Amino acid sequence: MKSIKVTILGKQYPLKVEDSEEEAMRRIAQYVDDKFRQYKKELNKQPDTTVMTLAALSIAEELFEERKRNRELDKQGDEVLQNVNKSLEEFIEEIKS
């Protein structure tokens, strides 16, 4: 494990990550910081906790949408594979005949 520090809204947070995960975690922290800053700019009169909560909800919404898209793609992939298998089975039956 490796100790790193990431900065979100000007505050440093220490994290322990696997060496192989350091760059990904830094990118994630940067994404979160960017999203928080975007919301802070738009909601400049709101307290940080409100800004962070709304930004976190937005990030969670993005995650859920991506998961839904992935499920739909998996379903489409399964359908394509089923069609290919069916076509192969039909082709093999033709060859046998």
Side-chain angles (χ1 to χ4, degrees):
M1 295 290 277
K2 182 175 188 176
S3 292
I4 64 170
K5 289 183 181 176
V6 297
T7 304
I8 298 174
L9 285 181
K11 184 173 179 185
Q12 282 196 339
Y13 295 90
L15 301 173
K16 286 193 182 269
V17 298
E18 297 291 334
D19 288 348
S20 61
E21 297 173 344
E22 179 181 359
E23 187 57 36
M25 186 55 64
R26 289 189 186 281
R27 284 193 314 271
I28 291 167
Q30 183 63 54
Y31 182 82
V32 169
D33 184 54
D34 290 345
K35 187 66 86 167
F36 283 5
R37 287 180 185 283
Q38 173 192 346
Y39 272 74
K40 189 170 180 70
K41 184 178 177 183
E42 293 171 9
L43 305 167
N44 59 358
K45 296 183 189 220
Q46 296 294 323
D48 282 352
T49 54
T50 300
V51 170
M52 293 171 126
T53 299
L54 293 173
L57 287 170
S58 174
I59 292 168
E61 180 182 25
E62 291 174 18
L63 172 64
F64 277 63
E65 288 174 3
E66 281 301 314
R67 286 179 177 173
K68 181 180 177 185
R69 273 188 234 129
N70 283 339
R71 283 192 303 273
E72 290 169 359
L73 286 174
D74 285 346
K75 183 179 177 184
Q76 290 173 0
D78 289 345
E79 290 171 2
V80 168
L81 285 176
Q82 287 174 0
N83 289 335
V84 168
N85 284 338
K86 182 180 177 185
S87 296
L88 285 173
E89 288 171 1
E90 290 170 357
F91 180 68
I92 291 170
E93 285 302 314
E94 280 182 36
I95 293 174
K96 287 182 179 179
S97 303

